[in-house]
């Protein structure tokens, strides 16, 4: 089929075709050995886009480590949540479940190399993907990968290296680039999964179709839906058992509250368009939209001990909450999300050596919170039992101008690749207040009845507002081939932020080919992560259960600019800054064995977190009834050291094809200085150093023979430490290493129909019980870096044509 000059130039610029014109969309594209014989396809032969702006760059030839995961890799994991997929494929990527953790049960934190979730940059088709509106663990505000439909993905590229000089803020741990499907054809998938304990059923459906628009481009459309039932790994709370014994006339639910995954429904749609306007001009656009609704339990309120809600007073004569909730109540926390990403651009060439790309994007994530089965006790009989808690909205606008020039230098056998460009970005964060009843302080507060909606106070009028931050950036990125063996690279970026000023970051990289199939590579770089408008300006209120006293406590997180926070020592936030060094060895062989070993060291200064908690100073107004308050600060320095090992082996086995893949990561973080080093903030030190396993790995074997495909995967997680927050201090518990086995069998009925059945955690393994959480019915730690719901069995049908 005819391919326009422009199409090939653009694909060449993005690394999607080789200089000879061969399409490189398949990660299994064969390489060539030094002898000129065709080598067996290896994982390192994949063409890629991320981490380099040079043409004809393969995964093996990169100056920094990049993992490439194909559609087949993605489909080997039974989940429509991209975070779960990456957790099984990327050795240093960890996702926590966090049941009953407010908004984090729906927007789960995901970390790369043990760093903060918002220290990994997420791209879609090479363009920045917007953040979630949620401020999660220690205030991190990261992109929510769960909003991207897995069925729309062609491949995923993960750059495991600091890249702020190339991409800007957030790219400290690395970059995850999601490449959307653009090939013609239709694929429809229907699946069902359920845990061995009989709950958590998930009904998943996806459809993708694509057309080649003659010689003028392509269009792909995506749609995906998922309906997941809740899970429960819960025992009855001891105080609920005692309450039932004291009140035999009542029928107390067992359990009174549920620990597990939330009930969740989600819908996702999208498109990916490329259209040639002429031989030297291409239009491209893509969009993703998702909507989800979920519900999660909160802690049970015991009528005999929750005096702040069940107190009787003369202010409300004849009113007693027992008449409404005689056996107590567990508030139901609702989360409704709407997420949108739109990108459009033009790209072309001024000359065959000079190419340009202009684009604009708009991203928006809005989260509406609600609370049912609750009360604002201070309002007495006038209180509703359902509340609108308000809305959080994150909006981002980006404009990019990128240029790529192949500079012919007489002394060099290959051209120097020079990329340069500019970016403008605006972030806006908005908090909409909830129902007045959700944050009201009623007449009953004077008699000790608790104000606010019980479980999660709504955003008040004083917390509501809108804040923006703008940034302007310019960058240059060069890759220089110094003969057949040496390649060096240098990148620099200047970025100016309206909130705090400017930053300059750089990166140096080099690669030396020991042989045509063995190479050393290394990088040195500086990086940064800018504080967001939400982190700079917002406040929040949360409630928790003290596991010793079983009393509800209320914590306030203040803005660093809040007068009370400043009285307690808060200072203006500044960017987190990083220095990264890495050194790696990569290889490939004709028999099909390829791999890499990369060691790295990341030093981070002014790390972002929450301060220690402070009691409210005497005489300070406290209308929200805070037990304690804290504020955001960047007062911590850490050093992270680690090693990534990736190996891939392909060979013929009998009448079929066998693939073996090893992925292992060792990652250690240590606090160097800052307030985490003092006894008053021991929790922060533990969270930084021990909350995630230092060892994580997987070994996957697959065998394709005839119409059958077999897969076995062993996943390993090292030991880690958990903590629970209490009003009077924290409790810690160390959990041992865990190993899980996943199995799957696929059968291709014919060229259009296929089936796949399998099970994750085949042996139904569970970690040690969280003894310090037993007082509230939780069996397994909610902060576990893996699924604690046991074996999950699934079946999937796929139709392609």
């Amino acid at each position: 089929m005819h391919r326009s000059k422009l199409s090939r130039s653009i694909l060449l610029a993005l690394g999607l075709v080789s200089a000879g014109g061969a399409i490189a969309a398949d990660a299994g594209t064969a390489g060539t050995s030094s002898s000129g014989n065709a080598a067996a396809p290896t994982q390192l032969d994949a063409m890629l886009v991320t981490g380099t702006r040079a043409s004809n760059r393969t995964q093996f030839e990169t100056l920094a480590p990049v993992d490439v995961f194909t559609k087949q890799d993605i489909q080997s994991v039974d989940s429509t949540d991209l975070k779960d997929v990456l957790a099984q494929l990327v050795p240093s990527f960890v996702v926590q479940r966090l049941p009953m953790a407010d908004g984090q049960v729906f927007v789960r934190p995901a970390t790369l190399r043990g760093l903060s979730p918002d220290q990994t940059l997420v791209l879609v088709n090479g363009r920045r993907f917007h953040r979630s509106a949620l401020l999660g663990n220690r205030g991190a505000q990261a992109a929510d990968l769960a909003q991207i439909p897995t069925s729309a993905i062609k491949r995923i590229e993960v750059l495991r290296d600091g890249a702020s000089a190339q991409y800007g803020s957030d790219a400290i741990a690395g970059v995850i680039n999601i490449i959307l499907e653009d090939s013609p054809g239709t694929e429809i998938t229907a699946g069902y999964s359920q845990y061995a304990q009989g709950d958590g059923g998930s009904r998943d459906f996806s459809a993708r179709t694509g057309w080649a628009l003659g010689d003028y481009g392509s269009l792909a459309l995506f749609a995906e839906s998922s309906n997941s039932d809740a899970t429960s790994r819960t025992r009855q709370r001891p105080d609920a058992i005692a309450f039932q014994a004291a009140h035999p006339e009542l029928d107390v639910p067992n359990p009174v509250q549920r620990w597990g995954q939330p009930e969740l429904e989600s819908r996702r749609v999208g498109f990916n368009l490329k259209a040639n306007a002429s031989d030297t001009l291409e239009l491209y656009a893509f969009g993703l939209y998702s909507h989800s609704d979920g519900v999660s339990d909160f802690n049970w309120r015991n009528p005999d001990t929750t005096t702040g809600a069940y107190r009787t007073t003369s202010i409300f004569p004849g009113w007693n909450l027992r008449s409404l909730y005689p056996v107590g109540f567990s508030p139901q926390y609702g989360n409704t999300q709407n997420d949108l990403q739109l990108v459009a651009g033009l790209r072309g060439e001024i000359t065959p050596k000079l190419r340009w790309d202009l684009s604009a994007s708009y991203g928006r994530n809005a989260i509406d919170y609600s609370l049912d089965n609750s009360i604002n006790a201070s309002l007495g009989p006038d209180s509703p039992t359902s509340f609108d808690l308000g809305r959080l909205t994150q909006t981002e606008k980006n404009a990019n101008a990128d240029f790529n020039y192949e500079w012919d230098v007489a002394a060099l056998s290959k051209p120097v690749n020079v990329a340069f460009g500019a970016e403008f970005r605006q972030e806006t964060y908005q908090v909409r207040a909830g129902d007045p009843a959700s944050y009201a302080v009623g007449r009953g507060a004077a008699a000790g009845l608790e104000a606010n909606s019980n479980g999660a106070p709504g955003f008040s009028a004083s917390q509501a507002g809108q804040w923006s931050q703008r940034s302007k950036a310019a960058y240059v990125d060069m890759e220089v081939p110094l003969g057949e063996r040496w390649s060096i690279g240098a990148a620099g970026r200047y970025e100016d932020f309206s909130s705090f000023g400017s930053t300059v970051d750089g990166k140096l990289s080099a690669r030396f080919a020991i042989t045509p199939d063995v190479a050393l590579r290394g990088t040195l770089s500086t990086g940064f992560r800018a504080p967001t408008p939400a982190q700079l300006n917002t406040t929040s209120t949360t409630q928790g259960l003290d596991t010793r006293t079983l009393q509800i406590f209320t914590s306030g997180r203040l803005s660093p600019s809040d007068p009370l926070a400043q009285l307690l020592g808060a200072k203006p936030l500044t960017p987190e800054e990083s220095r990264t060094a890495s050194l790696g060895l990569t290889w490939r062989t004709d028999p099909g064995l390829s791999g890499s070993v990369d060691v790295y060291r990341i030093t981070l200064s002014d790390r972002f977190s929450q301060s220690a908690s402070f009691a409210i100073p005497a005489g300070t107004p406290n209308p929200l009834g805070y037990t304690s308050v804290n504020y955001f600060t960047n007062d911590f320095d850490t050093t992270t050291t680690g090693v990534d090992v990736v190996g891939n082996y392909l060979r013929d086995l009998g009448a079929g094809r066998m693939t073996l893949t090893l992925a292992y990561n060792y990652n250690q973080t240590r606090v160097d200085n800052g307030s985490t080093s003092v006894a008053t903030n021991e929790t922060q030190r533990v969270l930084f150093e021990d909350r995630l396993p230092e060892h994580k790995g997987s070994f996957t074997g697959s065998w394709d023979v005839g119409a059958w495909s077999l897969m076995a995967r062993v996943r390993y997680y090292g030991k880690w430490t958990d903590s629970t927050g209490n009003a009077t201090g924290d409790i810690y518990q160390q959990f041992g290493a865990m190993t899980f086995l996943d199995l799957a069998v696929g059968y291709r009925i014919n060229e259009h129909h296929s089936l796949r059945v399998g099970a994750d955690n085949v042996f139904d393994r569970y970690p040690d019980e969280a003894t310090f959480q037993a007082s509230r019915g939780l069996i397994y730690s909610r902060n576990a870096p893996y699924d604690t719901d046991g074996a999950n069995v699934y079946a999937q049908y796929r139709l392609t044509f």
Side-chain angles (χ1 to χ4, degrees):
M1 182 179 71
H2 168 72
R3 181 180 301 276
S4 73
K5 179 182 179 182
L6 172 72
S7 296
R8 186 183 179 283
S9 297
I10 292 171
L11 291 172
L12 180 65
L14 294 177
L16 296 179
V17 301
S18 68
I23 296 293
D26 182 1
T29 302
T32 303
S33 69
S34 59
S35 63
N37 298 325
T42 70
Q43 182 70 14
L44 293 181
D45 289 320
M47 289 287 184
L48 49 84
V49 178
T50 312
T52 178
R53 292 182 170 91
S55 62
N56 196 28
R57 181 70 72 188
T58 70
Q59 188 180 359
F60 175 70
E61 296 167 333
T62 57
L63 281 65
V66 180
D67 294 324
V68 179
F69 301 102
T70 66
K71 176 181 286 291
Q72 289 72 30
D73 296 325
I74 298 167
Q75 291 177 345
S76 73
V77 181
D78 176 52
S79 179
T80 59
D81 189 327
L82 184 54
K83 293 180 182 179
D84 291 329
V85 173
L86 289 171
Q88 291 204 24
L89 297 178
V90 181
S92 62
F93 193 86
V94 176
V95 180
Q96 295 169 287
R97 284 287 182 187
L98 298 181
M100 209 184 294
D102 296 350
Q104 292 184 113
V105 70
F106 304 104
V107 184
R108 296 180 296 145
T111 64
L112 187 67
R113 288 184 164 178
L115 301 183
S116 177
D118 55 4
Q119 290 170 346
T120 299
L121 177 63
V122 176
L123 308 175
V124 177
N125 282 353
R127 298 304 178 200
R128 179 183 285 265
F129 190 73
H130 59 275
R131 309 175 196 276
S132 167
L134 175 73
L135 274 68
N137 275 351
R138 301 187 306 281
Q141 188 183 6
D144 184 10
L145 287 161
Q147 303 301 324
I148 301 173
T150 57
S151 59
I153 300 174
K154 183 175 186 176
R155 71 180 185 276
I156 302 172
E157 299 176 356
V158 181
L159 171 64
R160 294 180 277 109
D161 194 44
S164 291
Q166 297 163 292
Y167 296 102
S169 178
D170 307 348
I172 291 177
V175 178
I176 298 174
N177 191 8
I178 312 299
I179 308 300
L180 298 180
E181 185 64 78
D182 58 359
S183 59
T186 299
E187 183 174 274
I188 299 173
T189 303
Y192 179 79
S193 64
Q194 182 174 286
Y195 286 94
Q197 291 199 20
D199 58 5
S202 179
R203 295 154 293 281
D204 306 309
F205 175 83
S206 65
R208 178 196 63 82
T209 187
W211 303 271
L213 305 177
D215 293 337
Y216 301 101
S218 63
L219 173 64
L221 302 177
F222 325 112
E224 189 173 279
S225 70
S226 178
N227 294 277
S228 300
D229 298 331
T231 63
S232 179
R233 302 295 176 266
T234 317
R235 294 195 183 104
Q236 183 67 303
R237 285 173 46 154
D239 60 333
I241 296 174
F243 179 80
Q244 178 70 88
H247 302 275
E249 75 281 2
L250 299 176
D251 184 14
V252 179
N254 186 4
V256 291
Q257 68 185 63
R258 180 186 54 80
W259 291 96
Q261 299 179 37
E263 179 182 336
L264 185 63
E265 296 183 4
S266 60
R267 306 288 184 269
R268 308 180 187 99
V269 296
F271 73 94
N272 190 21
L273 171 68
K274 299 177 184 177
N276 299 328
S278 70
D279 282 349
T280 57
L281 185 64
E282 183 183 67
L283 165 71
Y284 63 91
F286 65 88
L288 299 170
Y289 172 77
S290 67
H291 171 84
S292 63
D293 289 290
V295 178
S296 175
D297 278 22
F298 269 7
N299 285 301
W300 177 63
R301 273 59 176 168
N302 187 331
D304 285 351
T305 60
T306 311
T307 56
Y310 280 88
R311 185 189 308 269
T312 57
T313 75
S314 58
I315 296 176
F316 303 119
W319 182 77
N320 189 327
L321 190 57
R322 290 178 188 265
S323 62
L324 180 63
Y325 297 127
V327 295
F329 63 100
S330 297
Q332 300 293 292
Y333 190 62
N335 176 294
T336 298
Q337 285 198 66
N338 289 282
D339 192 275
L340 175 67
Q341 177 85 3
L342 292 173
V343 176
L346 289 169
R347 54 194 174 198
E349 62 180 38
I350 300 173
T351 71
K353 295 287 187 179
L354 178 60
R355 295 173 293 275
W356 57 270
D357 190 328
L358 303 178
S359 67
S361 67
Y362 174 85
R364 181 178 184 270
N365 179 260
I367 307 177
D368 289 274
Y369 293 112
S370 62
L371 195 69
D372 295 326
N373 201 48
S374 183
I375 197 75
N376 182 337
S378 70
L379 298 177
D382 296 328
S383 172
T385 57
S386 295
F387 301 87
D388 171 13
L389 302 182
R391 173 186 294 172
L392 304 177
T393 305
Q394 170 77 10
T395 304
E396 298 181 27
K397 301 174 184 177
N398 290 268
N400 294 82
D402 301 298
F403 300 87
N404 198 81
Y405 178 61
E406 294 181 8
W407 178 23
D408 291 318
V409 179
L412 300 176
S413 59
K414 297 179 180 179
V416 176
N417 195 85
V418 183
F420 57 96
E423 180 181 34
F424 171 80
R425 184 166 72 255
Q426 177 177 297
E427 292 187 51
T428 302
Y429 195 76
Q430 184 177 22
V431 177
R432 177 183 63 78
D435 292 335
S438 71
Y439 58 87
V441 180
R443 292 185 296 123
L449 286 171
E450 292 174 342
N452 315 309
S453 50
N454 200 301
F459 300 112
S460 67
S462 62
Q463 292 175 306
Q466 179 173 297
W467 306 270
S468 293
Q469 175 175 270
R470 297 174 302 280
S471 66
K472 298 172 288 185
Y475 74 89
V476 62
D477 188 352
M478 300 178 63
E479 291 190 24
V480 183
L482 300 178
E484 294 298 321
R485 293 195 172 193
W486 277 102
S487 296
I488 61 173
R493 186 181 184 96
Y494 169 84
E495 193 150 359
D496 182 74
F497 288 81
S498 59
S499 299
F500 55 82
S502 61
T503 179
V504 177
D505 290 279
K507 183 173 183 176
L508 298 174
S509 50
R511 181 182 183 275
F512 177 71
I514 302 172
T515 74
D517 295 318
V518 180
L520 283 171
R521 61 192 179 196
T523 66
L524 294 171
S525 66
T526 62
F528 74 102
R529 191 202 64 79
T532 68
Q535 294 164 341
L536 290 166
N537 298 287
T538 64
T539 65
S540 69
T541 303
T542 59
Q543 291 185 337
L545 182 76
D546 190 301
T547 58
R548 291 191 178 101
T549 65
L550 296 183
Q551 295 297 306
I552 301 297
F553 62 89
T554 303
S555 298
R557 194 267 302 153
L558 307 178
S559 163
S561 59
D562 185 280
L564 176 57
Q566 293 178 343
L567 176 67
L568 297 172
K571 298 178 181 178
L573 294 177
T574 60
E576 297 174 309
E577 298 183 348
S578 68
R579 297 184 301 277
T580 300
S582 68
L583 180 64
L585 176 71
T586 182
W587 67 89
R588 62 182 179 184
T589 66
D590 286 358
L593 177 65
S594 63
S596 62
V597 177
D598 294 274
V599 296
Y600 56 88
R601 177 184 174 91
I602 305 169
T603 58
L604 269 161
S605 58
D606 296 329
R607 284 199 69 168
F608 186 84
S609 187
Q610 291 180 192
S611 72
S613 294
F614 300 92
I616 301 295
T620 303
N622 188 16
L624 295 179
Y626 289 139
T627 309
S628 62
V629 295
N630 56 46
Y631 51 83
F632 287 149
T633 179
N634 46 2
D635 188 34
F636 317 135
D637 300 339
T638 63
T639 298
T640 298
T641 55
V643 57
D644 287 321
V645 180
V646 177
N648 195 66
Y649 181 54
L650 295 85
R651 63 161 295 171
D652 292 331
L653 180 63
R657 185 74 163 169
M658 180 187 69
T659 303
L660 301 177
T661 302
L662 170 69
Y664 167 77
N665 170 255
Y666 169 75
N667 193 87
Q668 181 190 75
T669 295
R670 290 291 177 262
V671 174
D672 299 324
N673 54 62
S675 65
T676 55
S677 60
V678 299
T680 58
N681 210 358
E682 174 70 5
T683 298
Q684 294 297 324
R685 184 193 66 78
V686 171
L687 290 175
F688 275 125
E689 295 187 352
D690 303 321
R691 67 187 174 91
L692 297 176
E694 291 185 349
H695 300 271
K696 179 176 179 280
S698 66
F699 182 77
T700 305
S702 62
W703 185 40
D704 296 319
V705 52
W708 293 91
S709 62
L710 310 175
M711 190 276 291
R713 177 181 288 125
V714 177
R715 294 178 285 127
Y716 174 80
Y717 298 81
K719 64 182 181 180
W720 60 284
T721 299
D722 194 12
S723 68
T724 182
N726 281 309
T728 56
D730 295 307
I731 307 172
Y732 306 98
Q733 181 179 352
Q734 187 177 92
F735 293 86
M738 288 290 296
T739 302
F740 303 100
L741 174 65
D742 309 329
L743 297 175
V745 178
Y747 180 70
R748 189 176 66 254
I749 301 170
N750 54 40
E751 61 177 327
H752 299 299
H753 305 272
S754 62
L755 295 172
R756 189 170 190 264
V757 296
D760 293 339
N761 188 7
V762 171
F763 296 119
D764 200 28
R765 298 200 63 204
Y766 293 88
D768 296 336
E769 295 189 6
T771 56
F772 59 85
Q773 297 279 5
S775 60
R776 50 178 170 173
L778 182 144
I779 302 176
Y780 309 108
S781 171
R782 65 176 178 173
N783 298 314
Y786 37 70
D787 188 349
T788 59
D789 285 330
N792 185 54
V793 181
Y794 61 88
Q796 190 179 79
Y797 163 76
R798 179 170 288 114
L799 170 66
T800 57
F801 56 92

